[in-house]
Amino acid sequence: MDEKNVRLCVPAEAAFARTVRMTASTLAVCCDMSVEDVEDVRMIAEEGFVYACATEPDGVEVTFTLAKGVMEMDFSLGEAEPQDDSIELVEVLLDAVCDEFFESEDGTALHLSKRALS
């Protein structure tokens, strides 16, 4: 599979977490990921969205980069520092499940990457 990009822009509201989660899981299937990997992608997509929303943007743009056995997600971030202590749990979960998890140097994006286990 050649690398493909898909972009999704949603309001930064909890009601749109399902849209991000379901889009990510559908796209993970396109990357030939296993059921277990798809579940991991679904979880990190939702946690990435929670992280992005905690930075108080007007909307969140998610760019999904797809390749065989690999999925990357880049979430646009707002300018606020997350105030909720639960963001620490989000960071722990992302660090545990993602192959890559970092905020861009300029603080405008959150990068997540998941490679298929098999």
Short mmCIF file of all heavy atoms in Angstrom, two decimals, residues 9 63 75 84:
data_model
loop_
_atom_site.label_atom_id
_atom_site.label_comp_id
_atom_site.label_asym_id
_atom_site.label_seq_id
_atom_site.Cartn_x
_atom_site.Cartn_y
_atom_site.Cartn_z
N CYS A 9 -11.77 17.02 10.32
CA CYS A 9 -11.85 18.22 11.14
C CYS A 9 -13.17 18.18 11.89
O CYS A 9 -14.24 18.07 11.28
CB CYS A 9 -11.76 19.46 10.27
SG CYS A 9 -11.63 20.98 11.24
N THR A 63 -4.97 14.40 11.11
CA THR A 63 -4.44 13.87 9.85
C THR A 63 -3.99 12.45 10.12
O THR A 63 -3.14 12.20 10.98
CB THR A 63 -3.25 14.72 9.35
OG1 THR A 63 -3.69 16.06 9.17
CG2 THR A 63 -2.70 14.17 8.04
N PHE A 75 -2.75 15.35 15.60
CA PHE A 75 -3.88 16.14 16.11
C PHE A 75 -3.44 17.59 16.27
O PHE A 75 -2.41 17.86 16.90
CB PHE A 75 -4.32 15.63 17.49
CG PHE A 75 -4.93 14.27 17.48
CD1 PHE A 75 -4.15 13.12 17.44
CD2 PHE A 75 -6.31 14.12 17.52
CE1 PHE A 75 -4.71 11.86 17.43
CE2 PHE A 75 -6.89 12.87 17.51
CZ PHE A 75 -6.09 11.74 17.47
N ASP A 84 -6.67 19.90 33.43
CA ASP A 84 -7.27 18.74 34.06
C ASP A 84 -6.18 17.73 34.43
O ASP A 84 -5.36 17.36 33.60
CB ASP A 84 -8.27 18.12 33.09
CG ASP A 84 -9.12 17.05 33.71
OD1 ASP A 84 -8.81 16.60 34.83
OD2 ASP A 84 -10.09 16.64 33.06
#
